[in-house]
Amino acid sequence: MKFRTATALLSLFWCVNASTAHHEEAPFPWKYSLSIEAETQEMNGLLADSKQFADSGVLQKRGASMSVYQINAGGYEGANVLTEFYYPDAASLPSPNVMVSSQAHLDAFGDNQRAGDFVRSTIYKNIHGVIKGDAADVRVFMGASIKALTPDYVDRVKSMLAANSDGSLAYGINEVIAGGHNGETHVVWWGYASQTAMLLDLENTEEQFREAQKSLAGTREILRTVVNTSLLTTLPN
């Protein structure tokens, strides 16, 4: 099945220019996101098409934005590219007529062979997000797809993140609205400046991580872990 979506993909938190000190929470810039994974053999072409779509201004008119990521590890079923569109509220999602009324959408998503083979899509709601410093410095994201097993899972993870995320530039929790591959209910994610920074943080917090894993035993099932690097990002007006 080729990648043919009429809805937009939501992009993370690049629209934030404000910085925060220590662990203070900035107002999070998006509420909903559609995350789509695909396998493409034409990454350069996909990036060019995505940039053309982003430059059309159709997202910015609604206050939305988008990002394209290379999947470095953990893509479903061979997926190597992740495209996401980010929306600040429900009103900023696209019209149901967008695929017949917007030439930019038709050109990008109508019959684009360079977009690759569709693998999965999920609509998320961000239920917790923290940005420390300048969001533009965040280029690499590590995420864990979760199947929650207990009602208190989210509250316990929030406490864990607050206590064990000193080495990351950002972190958060997304809740599945629709989709949820293999029973996924949440994604827990961390943002870093680079893969090197990510691995150094893991090395420095290995003991705390083990303790956190023990404390969450029985509350969730980890379905997969994934690492993505941003290649293209747009900003809302």
Side-chain angles (χ1 to χ4, degrees), residues 2 19 33 36 42 45 50 53 63 71 78 92 131 138 168 174 177 182-183 188 197 201 206 221 235:
K2 291 296 179 182
S19 61
S33 63
I36 297 181
E42 297 189 56
S50 297
F53 175 71
I71 301 175
S92 58
I131 303 169
V138 187
S168 66
N174 298 344
I177 298 296
N182 293 333
V188 181
D201 182 40
E206 188 173 357
E221 178 184 349
L235 299 173

Short mmCIF file of all heavy atoms in Angstrom, two decimals, residues 2 19 33 36 42 45 50 53 63 71 78 92 131 138 168 174 177 182-183 188 197 201 206 221 235:
data_model
loop_
_atom_site.label_atom_id
_atom_site.label_comp_id
_atom_site.label_asym_id
_atom_site.label_seq_id
_atom_site.Cartn_x
_atom_site.Cartn_y
_atom_site.Cartn_z
N LYS A 2 0.66 2.16 -0.95
CA LYS A 2 1.45 3.36 -1.03
C LYS A 2 0.95 4.40 -0.04
O LYS A 2 -0.21 4.41 0.35
CB LYS A 2 1.42 3.93 -2.45
CG LYS A 2 2.16 3.05 -3.45
CD LYS A 2 3.63 2.97 -3.13
CE LYS A 2 4.37 2.09 -4.11
NZ LYS A 2 5.78 1.96 -3.79
N SER A 19 12.56 29.72 26.01
CA SER A 19 13.41 28.77 26.72
C SER A 19 13.00 28.76 28.18
O SER A 19 12.43 29.73 28.70
CB SER A 19 14.88 29.14 26.59
OG SER A 19 15.12 30.41 27.16
N SER A 33 -1.10 15.04 17.28
CA SER A 33 -0.16 14.75 16.20
C SER A 33 -0.58 13.47 15.48
O SER A 33 -1.12 12.57 16.10
CB SER A 33 1.27 14.60 16.75
OG SER A 33 1.37 13.51 17.64
N ILE A 36 3.23 9.09 10.95
CA ILE A 36 3.16 8.10 9.87
C ILE A 36 4.56 7.57 9.55
O ILE A 36 5.46 8.35 9.25
CB ILE A 36 2.51 8.69 8.61
CG1 ILE A 36 1.06 9.08 8.90
CG2 ILE A 36 2.56 7.70 7.46
CD1 ILE A 36 0.32 9.64 7.71
N GLU A 42 13.74 6.43 -1.79
CA GLU A 42 14.10 7.72 -2.37
C GLU A 42 14.00 8.81 -1.30
O GLU A 42 13.16 9.71 -1.38
CB GLU A 42 13.19 8.05 -3.55
CG GLU A 42 13.30 7.08 -4.70
CD GLU A 42 12.53 7.57 -5.92
OE1 GLU A 42 12.80 8.69 -6.37
OE2 GLU A 42 11.66 6.82 -6.40
N GLY A 45 14.32 12.42 -2.59
CA GLY A 45 13.11 12.86 -3.28
C GLY A 45 11.99 13.14 -2.31
O GLY A 45 11.24 14.12 -2.47
N SER A 50 8.54 16.98 0.48
CA SER A 50 8.05 17.46 1.78
C SER A 50 8.35 18.94 1.94
O SER A 50 7.52 19.70 2.46
CB SER A 50 8.70 16.67 2.92
OG SER A 50 8.34 15.30 2.86
N PHE A 53 5.90 20.93 -0.09
CA PHE A 53 4.61 20.99 0.59
C PHE A 53 4.66 21.97 1.75
O PHE A 53 3.76 22.80 1.92
CB PHE A 53 4.22 19.60 1.09
CG PHE A 53 2.97 19.58 1.91
CD1 PHE A 53 1.73 19.78 1.32
CD2 PHE A 53 3.03 19.36 3.28
CE1 PHE A 53 0.56 19.76 2.08
CE2 PHE A 53 1.87 19.34 4.05
CZ PHE A 53 0.64 19.54 3.44
N GLY A 63 -1.76 27.24 11.77
CA GLY A 63 -0.92 27.20 12.96
C GLY A 63 -0.27 25.85 13.17
O GLY A 63 0.25 25.57 14.25
N ILE A 71 14.44 7.31 10.52
CA ILE A 71 14.37 6.34 11.61
C ILE A 71 15.71 5.60 11.67
O ILE A 71 16.06 4.86 10.77
CB ILE A 71 13.21 5.35 11.40
CG1 ILE A 71 11.88 6.09 11.33
CG2 ILE A 71 13.19 4.30 12.53
CD1 ILE A 71 10.70 5.20 10.99
N GLY A 78 10.45 -2.50 8.65
CA GLY A 78 11.39 -1.93 7.70
C GLY A 78 11.24 -0.44 7.45
O GLY A 78 11.95 0.12 6.61
N SER A 92 -7.20 23.14 14.30
CA SER A 92 -6.13 23.33 13.32
C SER A 92 -5.90 22.10 12.44
O SER A 92 -5.06 22.14 11.53
CB SER A 92 -4.82 23.68 14.04
OG SER A 92 -4.46 22.68 14.97
N ILE A 131 10.06 21.06 27.91
CA ILE A 131 11.16 21.51 27.06
C ILE A 131 12.13 22.29 27.94
O ILE A 131 11.73 23.23 28.62
CB ILE A 131 10.66 22.40 25.92
CG1 ILE A 131 9.62 21.66 25.09
CG2 ILE A 131 11.82 22.86 25.04
CD1 ILE A 131 8.89 22.56 24.11
N VAL A 138 17.10 20.44 19.77
CA VAL A 138 16.70 19.03 19.89
C VAL A 138 16.60 18.43 18.51
O VAL A 138 15.75 18.81 17.71
CB VAL A 138 15.36 18.90 20.64
CG1 VAL A 138 15.06 17.43 20.90
CG2 VAL A 138 15.37 19.69 21.93
N SER A 168 18.51 14.90 29.26
CA SER A 168 17.76 15.16 28.02
C SER A 168 17.39 16.63 27.93
O SER A 168 17.34 17.34 28.94
CB SER A 168 16.50 14.29 27.95
OG SER A 168 15.59 14.67 28.97
N ASN A 174 2.89 10.80 25.08
CA ASN A 174 1.79 10.91 24.13
C ASN A 174 0.81 9.77 24.35
O ASN A 174 1.23 8.62 24.56
CB ASN A 174 2.29 10.86 22.69
CG ASN A 174 3.23 11.99 22.35
OD1 ASN A 174 3.30 12.98 23.08
ND2 ASN A 174 3.96 11.85 21.26
N ILE A 177 -4.82 8.22 20.42
CA ILE A 177 -6.22 8.53 20.16
C ILE A 177 -6.80 7.50 19.18
O ILE A 177 -7.89 6.98 19.37
CB ILE A 177 -6.38 9.94 19.59
CG1 ILE A 177 -5.88 10.99 20.60
CG2 ILE A 177 -7.83 10.21 19.20
CD1 ILE A 177 -6.68 11.04 21.87
N ASN A 182 0.03 -2.67 17.37
CA ASN A 182 0.28 -3.80 18.30
C ASN A 182 -0.23 -3.53 19.72
O ASN A 182 0.35 -4.01 20.69
CB ASN A 182 1.78 -4.11 18.36
CG ASN A 182 2.31 -4.65 17.04
OD1 ASN A 182 1.57 -5.25 16.26
ND2 ASN A 182 3.59 -4.43 16.78
N GLY A 183 -1.32 -2.77 19.83
CA GLY A 183 -1.89 -2.53 21.14
C GLY A 183 -1.29 -1.36 21.89
O GLY A 183 -1.56 -1.18 23.09
N VAL A 188 6.39 7.14 25.35
CA VAL A 188 7.21 7.96 26.24
C VAL A 188 8.47 8.33 25.46
O VAL A 188 9.10 7.45 24.86
CB VAL A 188 7.58 7.19 27.53
CG1 VAL A 188 8.43 8.07 28.45
CG2 VAL A 188 6.32 6.71 28.25
N ALA A 197 24.91 12.46 22.52
CA ALA A 197 24.37 12.96 23.79
C ALA A 197 23.38 11.96 24.39
O ALA A 197 23.34 11.76 25.61
CB ALA A 197 23.69 14.31 23.56
N ASP A 201 23.98 10.05 27.99
CA ASP A 201 22.98 10.15 29.05
C ASP A 201 22.60 8.76 29.55
O ASP A 201 22.46 8.54 30.77
CB ASP A 201 21.75 10.88 28.53
CG ASP A 201 20.69 11.06 29.61
OD1 ASP A 201 21.05 11.35 30.76
OD2 ASP A 201 19.49 10.91 29.29
N GLU A 206 22.53 4.78 33.96
CA GLU A 206 22.20 3.36 33.84
C GLU A 206 21.59 2.79 35.11
O GLU A 206 20.60 2.06 35.08
CB GLU A 206 23.46 2.58 33.46
CG GLU A 206 23.20 1.13 33.11
CD GLU A 206 24.44 0.44 32.56
OE1 GLU A 206 25.48 1.10 32.41
OE2 GLU A 206 24.36 -0.78 32.30
N GLU A 221 3.71 -2.85 29.33
CA GLU A 221 4.51 -3.71 28.45
C GLU A 221 5.20 -2.80 27.44
O GLU A 221 4.56 -1.95 26.82
CB GLU A 221 3.60 -4.69 27.73
CG GLU A 221 4.32 -5.60 26.74
CD GLU A 221 3.37 -6.50 25.98
OE1 GLU A 221 2.17 -6.57 26.36
OE2 GLU A 221 3.81 -7.11 24.97
N LEU A 235 8.08 25.69 10.54
CA LEU A 235 7.59 26.46 11.66
C LEU A 235 6.24 27.08 11.32
O LEU A 235 6.04 27.49 10.16
CB LEU A 235 8.56 27.59 12.02
CG LEU A 235 9.97 27.16 12.44
CD1 LEU A 235 10.84 28.42 12.59
CD2 LEU A 235 9.95 26.38 13.72
#
